[in-house]
Amino acid sequence: MSLINISSQISDQPNARLVARSLASVWHPCTQMKQHADFPLIPIQSGDGVWLTDMAGKRYLDGVSSWWVNLFGHANPRINAALVAQLNSLEHVMLAGCTHEPAVELAERLAGLTGLGHAFYASDGASAVEIALKMSFHYWRNVGQPFKQKFVALSNSYHGETLGALAVTDVALFRDVYHGLLNNNIITPAPVPSVHQLDDNFPCCIACAEEAAQALEQLLMQRHHEIAAFIVEPLVQGAAGMRMYHPHYLVRARQLCTAYNVHLIADEIMTGFGRTGTMFAWTQSHAPRPDFICLSKGITGGYLPLSCVLTTDTVYAAFYDDATARGFLHSHSYTGSALACRAALATLDIFESDNVIALNAKNAPLFNQYCLPLREHPRVKNFRHLGMIWAFELETRRTAFAQYFFAEAVARGLLLRPIGYTVYFMPPYVIDAETFKWMVDQTLAILDNINE
Ligand SMILES: Cc1ncc(COP(=O)(O)O)c(C=O)c1O
């Protein structure tokens, strides 16, 4: 089916009108707008659980949790109720000079979950990364080591699109054009083989993890005096195509960062809040905690922009001083929004009351069984699974595969956004077995129709 045909499917009146207004007025994220000339926007009117509905009543299964944020479904009654109650008492107050119950309770509960007792709030994931980088840089200055200014990131890493975050991102498509604006940081090999060289041991190749750890060791040995921090997406490099790796790497990275006096920043923006099977991916390494954890996305169950950087007493103490300039003077107007913090608290309540981590662990084997025909499909390579993420590469010569697959899936009422030739499922945790199977069946039907 051509993209133009798909476009005509969305051409009923209310849908078409909203799409036309959107294309005339909204500059959409991560998008070459010209492609929307024949590649449809999906005009969403409402959401309910794992389903989104367009203006004409057609439903779409949100198979990617709306860019990895939604955990407990759209229009979740419990999060809705918590937000309505919060709305009726306090929507927002600046967090400089003031404080409020939701921000405090959330910081306390996140400290309990991570062991890191100082929470600095922001809005999106990239702003959390900026904060962690700035805090690390400033820490070393405050403790008399001002030459530690560089950051180390993994090859294929993704940490966001603002300039600081982009400077520790290694995805050429996002980064290359802005090269002249970015700080010159250091890239070290990721603990995963290239997707073109994966073997049967993928994704848990301990040898790859050790090899990459040795590269990190060489780097830190030679340049630790100029390195402030190492930033890492624990266990899964999401935007690089759900590249999963062995926790051994995190153990070694923690040892090395400690040995060479370099901060370790765990970017759990995608992996946090149960996505990899534990509340935070880092804990699967059983290594001592990182110096900074960046959280966002699932933190509010997908409701409101909120991010948070958690750090240690040692880091906090280095800023605590009579001199104003030694403090961390970073801010955003909506830092610690009461509404966003309330959504996060309601999300944590659901984790506790529904025993979500255990429930997901119980459901995953069944979902894996449904995936068996995919795993065995002749076009599927490197099928992998961790927690509530399933991914594989497609063997096809079809160009613009991601767009083709997206359009085919949308026509079938399924919202999936492949990354290159990598197809992945990252549904809200409330997906039931029947719906998961339906998602797999639709995917299989699309694969069976590819003839290139
Ligand atoms: C690991 C990681 N870090 C940072 C970000 C940036 O988050 P945001 O898009 O909210 O700025 C993302 C977004 O996908 C991410 O996956």
Side-chain angles (χ1 to χ4, degrees):
M1 193 179 295
S2 83
L3 300 179
I4 310 243
N5 286 342
I6 301 281
S7 181
S8 66
Q9 293 188 5
I10 300 203
S11 67
D12 57 278
Q13 283 299 309
N15 276 336
R17 266 200 302 272
L18 187 62
V19 167
R21 283 172 53 211
S22 193
L23 293 180
S25 60
V26 180
W27 197 335
H28 289 265
C30 202
T31 298
Q32 168 48 269
M33 292 298 291
K34 188 160 193 277
Q35 288 170 0
H36 277 310
D38 23 54
F39 192 69
L41 275 172
I42 312 171
I44 299 299
Q45 185 170 47
S46 62
D48 181 15
V50 296
W51 295 97
L52 295 161
T53 304
D54 75 12
M55 312 286 288
K58 179 173 174 176
R59 298 204 311 164
Y60 305 85
L61 172 63
D62 188 353
V64 292
S65 297
S66 288
W67 256 351
W68 319 344
V69 300
N70 192 292
L71 305 187
F72 301 125
H74 297 277
N76 181 290
R78 286 185 276 179
I79 304 178
N80 287 1
L83 279 176
V84 169
Q86 183 62 46
L87 205 48
N88 286 324
S89 69
L90 175 70
E91 80 299 342
H92 174 65
V93 62
M94 62 186 172
L95 208 60
C98 301
T99 194
H100 54 76
E101 177 67 29
V104 175
E105 186 186 337
L106 182 59
E108 289 169 350
R109 286 173 72 173
L110 292 175
L113 288 168
T114 61
L116 293 171
H118 304 277
F120 196 102
Y121 292 114
S123 44
D124 292 283
S127 50
V129 170
E130 300 282 338
I131 288 163
L133 299 176
K134 280 179 71 180
M135 267 185 189
S136 173
F137 174 97
H138 197 162
Y139 169 92
W140 293 116
R141 217 180 162 76
N142 279 356
V143 300
Q145 298 197 54
F147 300 112
K148 287 170 85 70
Q149 297 190 358
K150 285 202 179 301
F151 299 103
V152 178
L154 293 179
S155 53
N156 299 309
S157 58
Y158 181 88
H159 297 288
E161 308 279 350
T162 53
L163 294 181
L166 200 55
V168 286
T169 286
D170 185 42
V171 179
L173 181 64
F174 302 137
R175 187 193 153 105
D176 282 1
V177 68
Y178 303 107
H179 179 79
L181 290 178
L182 304 178
N183 278 344
N184 195 7
N185 289 314
I186 306 164
I187 298 296
T188 187
V192 283
S194 134
V195 285
H196 304 295
Q197 304 163 348
L198 295 170
D199 62 21
D200 288 345
N201 294 324
F202 188 83
C204 282
C205 170
I206 197 164
C208 301
E210 181 51 32
E211 199 182 324
Q214 285 172 18
L216 180 64
E217 183 163 24
Q218 285 303 312
L219 173 67
L220 296 188
M221 197 188 302
Q222 286 158 17
R223 300 183 64 178
H224 62 94
H225 52 278
E226 53 170 334
I227 295 172
F230 169 56
I231 182 164
V232 64
E233 295 159 88
L235 297 187
V236 187
Q237 293 188 292
M242 300 302 149
R243 295 175 178 215
M244 300 173 186
Y245 63 87
H246 198 285
H248 173 75
Y249 185 76
L250 300 176
V251 176
R252 293 279 279 120
R254 177 66 279 183
Q255 285 166 352
L256 293 167
C257 286
T258 304
Y260 289 104
N261 220 14
V262 164
H263 285 143
L264 198 152
I265 303 171
D267 176 349
E268 294 253 13
I269 287 162
M270 185 279 276
T271 54
F273 299 98
R275 196 43 85 176
T276 66
T278 44
M279 195 61 170
F280 301 108
W282 181 267
T283 53
Q284 293 184 44
S285 71
H286 303 289
R289 65 185 179 213
D291 301 289
F292 299 89
I293 295 184
C294 300
L295 302 174
S296 188
K297 291 200 182 274
I299 192 170
T300 62
Y303 264 66
L304 286 162
L306 179 71
S307 61
C308 183
V309 176
L310 296 152
T311 192
T312 60
D313 293 347
T314 310
V315 170
Y316 182 77
F319 290 81
Y320 197 83
D321 198 88
D322 292 330
T324 305
R326 284 173 62 93
F328 191 61
L329 305 185
H330 185 103
S331 64
H332 299 286
S333 309
Y334 284 99
T335 288
S337 144
L339 276 174
C341 290
R342 180 57 67 195
L345 289 169
T347 299
L348 290 181
D349 288 345
I350 295 176
F351 268 103
E352 281 174 21
S353 61
D354 294 8
N355 212 353
V356 170
I357 299 292
L359 200 65
N360 286 350
K362 193 166 143 258
N363 287 335
L366 180 62
F367 294 172
N368 276 337
Q369 260 181 35
Y370 293 149
C371 286
L372 269 180
L374 262 182
R375 205 182 260 272
E376 288 160 7
H377 194 281
R379 286 191 183 273
V380 169
K381 284 192 314 181
N382 316 319
F383 188 94
R384 51 201 183 270
H385 155 247
L386 186 67
M388 292 297 279
I389 309 172
W390 291 260
F392 54 89
E393 271 74 51
L394 237 282
E395 229 160 39
T396 172
R397 282 199 298 276
R398 205 179 171 106
T399 51
F401 167 77
Q403 286 181 337
Y404 167 79
F405 187 98
F406 175 84
E408 289 288 320
V410 164
R412 293 165 183 275
L414 175 58
L415 192 57
L416 291 176
R417 282 176 62 102
I419 303 170
Y421 288 93
T422 304
V423 177
Y424 68 92
F425 304 141
M426 214 199 261
Y429 303 161
V430 289
I431 193 168
D432 60 35
E434 196 187 335
T435 311
F436 192 95
K437 185 170 181 314
W438 179 85
M439 175 168 67
V440 173
D441 288 345
Q442 299 308 308
T443 305
L444 282 165
I446 298 170
L447 300 196
D448 286 342
N449 283 336
I450 299 176
N451 45 23
E452 285 169 68

